[in-house]
């Protein structure tokens, strides 16, 4: 069975990134850690690459790492839906290299999983953060686990959402064919191919279409979610790196038992089978962990069941 990410890509064929390098400048009020953590938008240079990030909320620091390289979008969906954390945490929403408002690089190899994990550590160091909480959804959960394997001394808590520790899990095709809206998704894919779109515009339409089957009840969230997707900045080259290079060797299942960080794993009861199997494997491997299956939700538990999701994660962070 192919990886969940590879399967997704096989349904919606991606094109190469056509974006140009983005010229940015540091918007921080000063070159010190305190100014880097003031509320608002910032641009900062990490390893010679300009990164965009936003700071909101109050309390201990939580970095919300986006699933950008897994699907090509920026962090807008997380900025919109993770607001309840801001009452208890200073949340940093970051956009890694090549994604969203951060600088583009022309070499696909610059977007490897290991590069992203190291960039996150260099970002922490540049901002002067001693200890923090880290959360990652889907692909971002992969980066979060890889970061924890190397730098867990800087972590207080780890929140893993709908993710997996290796490439190969069964059941995705069967799950997909039984989803409400599957036929409409297939028909729309055919239309997209005929429209002659390329690069990030093609990617945006493909992903908007695929997301219609990743909710328990898409119609309930359609208006807000599609507005966010319409305004999301897409990029294809980072995803292509994962699909064509990193995914073939991705398997950290036998390593994550080294993670001692207090961890919570959350997924929807209608999530992709690879996520459900993967979440259970993570729970079995990480010793200091808790797993939560959230009913009546699929891949977007924090959107569909915020009542349960935030009750569980906020209690986890407080304790």
């Amino acid at each position: 069975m192919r990886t969940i990410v590879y399967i997704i890509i096989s349904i919606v064929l991606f094109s190469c990134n056509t974006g140009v390098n983005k010229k940015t400048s540091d918007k921080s009020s000063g070159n010190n850690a305190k100014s880097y953590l003031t509320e608002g938008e910032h641009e900062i240079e990490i390893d010679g690459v300009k990164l965009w990030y936003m700071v909101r909320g109050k309390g201990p620091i939580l970095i919300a790492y986006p699933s950008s390289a897994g699907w090509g979008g920026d962090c807008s969906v997380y900025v919109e839906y993770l607001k309840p954390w801001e009452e208890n945490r200073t949340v940093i929403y970051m956009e890694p290299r090549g994604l969203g408002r951060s600088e583009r690089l022309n070499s696909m190899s610059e977007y490897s999983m290991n590069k992203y994990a190291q960039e996150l550590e260099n970002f922490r160091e540049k901002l002067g953060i001693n200890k923090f909480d880290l959360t990652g959804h889907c692909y971002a959960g992969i980066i979060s686990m890889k970061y924890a394997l190397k730098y867990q001394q800087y972590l207080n808590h780890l929140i893993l959402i709908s993710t997996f520790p290796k490439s190969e899990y069964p059941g995705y095709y069967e799950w997909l064919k039984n989803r409400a809206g599957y036929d409409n998704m297939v028909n729309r894919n055919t239309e997209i191919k005929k429209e002659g779109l390329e690069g990030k515009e093609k990617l945006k339409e493909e992903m908007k279409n695929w997301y219609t089957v990743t909710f328990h009840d898409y119609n309930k969230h359609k208006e807000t979610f599609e507005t966010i997707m319409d305004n999301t900045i897409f990029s294809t080259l980072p995803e292509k790196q994962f699909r064509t290079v990193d995914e073939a060797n991705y398997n950290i299942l036998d390593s994550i038992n080294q993670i001692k960080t207090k961890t919570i794993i959350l997924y929807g009861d209608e999530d992709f089978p690879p996520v459900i199997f993967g979440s259970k494997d993570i729970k079995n491997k990480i010793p200091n962990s808790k797993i939560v299956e959230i009913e009546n939700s699929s891949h977007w538990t924090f959107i569909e069941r915020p009542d349960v999701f935030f009750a569980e994660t906020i209690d986890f962070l407080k304790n």
Side-chain angles (χ1 to χ4, degrees):
M1 179 61 63
R2 302 259 178 105
T3 75
I4 180 62
V5 174
Y6 187 82
I7 293 168
I8 294 169
I9 306 310
S10 69
I11 296 171
V12 288
L13 299 176
F14 294 103
S15 301
C16 291
N17 190 311
T18 58
V20 297
N21 282 1
K22 177 181 165 187
K23 303 299 182 183
T24 59
S25 59
D26 192 346
K27 292 181 180 178
S28 299
S29 59
N31 193 23
N32 58 73
K34 184 177 181 180
S35 68
Y36 290 143
L37 295 174
T38 56
E39 188 160 310
E41 296 185 37
H42 300 259
E43 287 180 322
I44 190 172
E45 185 173 303
I46 304 293
D47 300 329
V49 181
K50 299 291 180 61
L51 303 184
W52 177 96
Y53 67 98
M54 176 185 287
V55 179
R56 290 199 319 209
K58 57 185 178 180
I61 293 171
L62 186 157
I63 295 180
Y65 197 89
S67 188
S68 299
W71 61 284
D74 61 32
C75 71
S76 297
V77 67
Y78 304 104
V79 171
E80 175 65 27
Y81 287 107
L82 297 181
K83 292 176 183 176
W85 278 340
E86 297 168 16
E87 297 180 9
N88 299 281
R89 287 293 186 274
T90 297
V91 183
I92 299 176
Y93 304 92
M94 70 171 295
E95 291 179 343
R97 58 179 58 197
L99 295 152
R101 285 142 287 199
S102 291
E103 186 176 357
R104 304 292 189 263
L105 299 171
N106 293 325
S107 173
M108 194 172 74
S109 64
E110 292 292 340
Y111 302 121
S112 70
M113 292 190 294
N114 290 336
K115 289 266 189 182
Y116 279 130
Q118 186 60 51
E119 179 181 74
L120 176 58
E121 166 54 16
N122 295 344
F123 179 80
R124 176 207 67 80
E125 185 175 29
K126 182 71 175 280
L127 268 63
I129 301 169
N130 293 322
K131 298 274 281 189
F132 68 104
D133 304 318
L134 177 62
T135 184
H137 172 236
C138 198
Y139 174 89
I142 294 173
I143 303 302
S144 298
M145 287 186 287
K146 289 180 75 69
Y147 178 88
L149 281 169
K150 195 171 181 180
Y151 298 110
Q152 62 183 305
Q153 68 267 30
Y154 302 118
L155 295 177
N156 288 318
H157 301 89
L158 187 60
I159 302 174
L160 302 175
I161 311 163
S162 293
T163 193
F164 40 90
K166 65 176 184 175
S167 296
E168 305 298 330
Y169 283 103
Y172 176 76
Y173 283 125
E174 294 78 6
W175 173 88
L176 182 65
K177 291 176 182 178
N178 288 309
R179 298 300 294 168
Y182 170 74
D183 291 337
N184 291 334
M185 184 198 74
V186 172
N187 292 335
R188 175 58 184 147
N189 277 339
T190 301
E191 292 175 359
I192 292 171
K193 291 177 182 178
K194 294 178 180 178
E195 290 172 1
L197 300 175
E198 296 182 354
K200 58 187 178 182
E201 295 305 320
K202 182 172 182 282
L203 172 58
K204 175 181 286 192
E205 291 305 312
E206 290 169 336
M207 294 312 296
K208 283 170 55 182
N209 184 40
W210 181 76
Y211 281 136
T212 62
V213 300
T214 63
F215 284 76
H216 167 70
D217 183 357
Y218 183 67
N219 287 331
K220 184 177 179 181
H221 306 278
K222 180 178 182 205
E223 183 176 356
T224 300
F225 192 80
E226 288 193 357
T227 298
I228 294 171
M229 290 297 104
D230 285 338
N231 291 289
T232 292
I233 302 169
F234 278 82
S235 176
T236 61
L237 201 58
E239 180 281 326
K240 188 177 180 183
Q241 161 67 24
F242 178 72
R243 172 171 58 90
T244 61
V245 181
D246 281 347
E247 64 89 15
N249 299 310
Y250 173 60
N251 187 339
I252 58 174
L253 180 61
D254 293 334
S255 301
I256 56 175
N257 59 0
Q258 300 171 33
I259 298 175
K260 309 304 180 184
T261 305
K262 191 174 182 181
T263 302
I264 187 169
I265 306 132
L266 306 103
Y267 66 93
D269 62 344
E270 295 180 21
D271 218 324
F272 322 140
V275 166
I276 294 176
F277 295 143
S279 296
K280 292 176 180 178
D281 280 348
I282 294 169
K283 172 65 180 75
N284 289 335
K285 289 290 185 175
I286 297 181
N288 193 15
S289 65
K290 172 184 179 180
I291 191 168
V292 179
E293 181 183 81
I294 301 180
E295 295 181 352
N296 299 320
S297 66
S298 185
H299 198 56
W300 304 91
T301 53
F302 52 93
I303 298 176
E304 297 200 276
R305 293 300 309 276
D307 54 336
V308 177
F309 179 87
F310 289 108
E312 289 284 352
T313 54
I314 290 172
D315 181 67
F316 168 75
L317 292 170
K318 287 181 177 179
N319 293 328

